[in-house]
């Protein structure tokens, strides 16, 4: 849901910036690569050390590249299959770095094996949720379902909670530290529901397509 509405809003907001980069000769692929590098650096440098506020700020600054690169490609008229492939692939890398950074914190100084496992589950389930849609589309199915917790929701829930938890460094109330564990459990549960939604949708669409195939063949 966030992906549907928020993406359209930020696309309009970032259009002038995308146009500025094009005038400076920056390519959409370069923005994709730089944005992913920034997210990975922010997640793996700050999160494992428990510096959630600065990690969230860094990640947020770079995560908008996911909107800017596509905007640039459309403005320049250079949208391509390669660009879409690169963008989707590096999204998975960025997501893995975010939840991997959180898992490293709980495996180390955070000292919580359960939350480490939950963070790893969030990482893995996010990858599988994306794979189910890509694989379904690859075999010719529309995969027409809006999941409960898709990528935008996973990032917003996790990063907002991490950023607020990080405010404890500046003297904020200690109860804010509860937000990140709660967010990870919510993302884990939501991702599982979304995975089930997509698998059920692909099963239904595949059955409908298989049932329609003999009828179409007979008509021909």
């Amino acid at each position: 849901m966030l992906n549907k509405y928020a993406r359209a809003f930020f696309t309009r907001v970032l259009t002038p910036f995308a146009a500025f980069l094009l005038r400076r000769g920056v390519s959409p692929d370069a923005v994709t690569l730089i944005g992913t590098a920034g997210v990975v650096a922010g997640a793996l440098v700050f999160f494992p050390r428990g510096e959630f506020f600065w990690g969230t700020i860094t990640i947020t600054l770079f995560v908008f590249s996911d909107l800017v690169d596509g905007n640039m490609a459309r403005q320049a008229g250079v949208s391509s299959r390669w660009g879409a492939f690169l963008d989707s692939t590096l999204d998975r890398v960025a997501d893995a770095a975010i939840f991997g950074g959180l898992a490293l914190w709980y495996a180390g100084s955070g000292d919580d094996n359960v939350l480490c496992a939950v963070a790893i589950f969030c990482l893995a389930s996010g990858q599988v949720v994306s794979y189910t849609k890509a694989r379904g589309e690859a075999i010719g199915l529309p995969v027409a379902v809006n999941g409960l917790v898709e990528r935008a929701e996973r990032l917003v829930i996790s990063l907002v909670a991490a950023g607020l938890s990080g405010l404890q460094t500046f003297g904020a109330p200690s109860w804010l530290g509860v937000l990140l564990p709660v967010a990870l459990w919510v993302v884990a549960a939501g991702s599982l529901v979304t995975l089930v939604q997509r698998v059920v949708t692909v099963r239904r669409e595949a059955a409908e397509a298989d049932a329609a195939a003999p009828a179409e063949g007979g008509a021909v």
Side-chain angles (χ1 to χ4, degrees):
M1 186 177 294
L2 282 176
N3 191 56
K4 179 180 178 181
Y5 297 105
R7 193 177 188 91
F9 170 75
F10 283 110
T11 295
R12 290 194 298 271
V13 171
L14 295 171
T15 292
F17 180 60
F20 169 79
L21 293 178
L22 286 171
R23 290 196 297 271
R24 294 297 181 273
V26 180
S27 71
D29 286 353
V31 171
T32 303
L33 292 167
I34 293 171
T36 301
V39 170
V40 170
L44 297 183
V45 170
F46 292 105
F47 281 179
R49 298 189 298 183
E51 297 179 9
F52 298 126
F53 178 79
W54 293 116
T56 299
I57 293 297
T58 303
I59 291 168
T60 302
L61 289 175
F62 284 99
V63 81
F64 283 107
S65 66
D66 188 45
L67 300 176
V68 174
D69 55 6
N71 195 316
M72 292 172 65
R74 287 188 294 273
Q75 288 191 49
V78 294
S79 297
S80 64
R81 290 182 176 85
W82 161 250
F85 169 81
L86 180 66
D87 185 59
S88 179
T89 300
L90 293 185
D91 281 350
R92 308 288 81 76
V93 173
D95 292 358
I98 291 171
F99 290 105
L102 293 173
L104 287 172
W105 160 251
Y106 285 116
S109 300
D111 192 25
D112 193 319
N113 289 335
V114 172
L115 287 175
C116 175
V118 174
I120 293 173
F121 179 84
C122 290
L123 188 164
S125 60
Q127 306 294 317
V128 177
V129 164
S130 298
Y131 175 79
T132 54
K133 185 174 180 65
R135 182 59 181 155
E137 292 175 341
I139 59 176
L141 302 175
V143 196
V145 58
N146 291 320
L148 178 65
V149 176
E150 297 185 329
R151 184 173 189 253
E153 287 84 1
R154 290 197 301 271
L155 291 181
V156 169
I157 293 170
S158 302
L159 292 178
V160 168
L164 291 175
S165 295
L167 290 176
Q168 294 177 94
T169 305
F170 305 100
S174 59
W175 61 264
L176 288 174
V178 177
L179 295 178
L180 183 55
V182 170
L184 287 175
W185 279 107
V186 169
V187 170
S191 296
L192 180 59
V193 171
T194 303
L195 177 59
V196 171
Q197 287 177 305
R198 289 195 173 179
V199 170
V200 169
T201 298
V202 169
R203 178 178 173 81
R204 175 178 53 79
E205 292 177 348
E208 291 173 352
D210 291 342
E216 292 174 356
V220 172

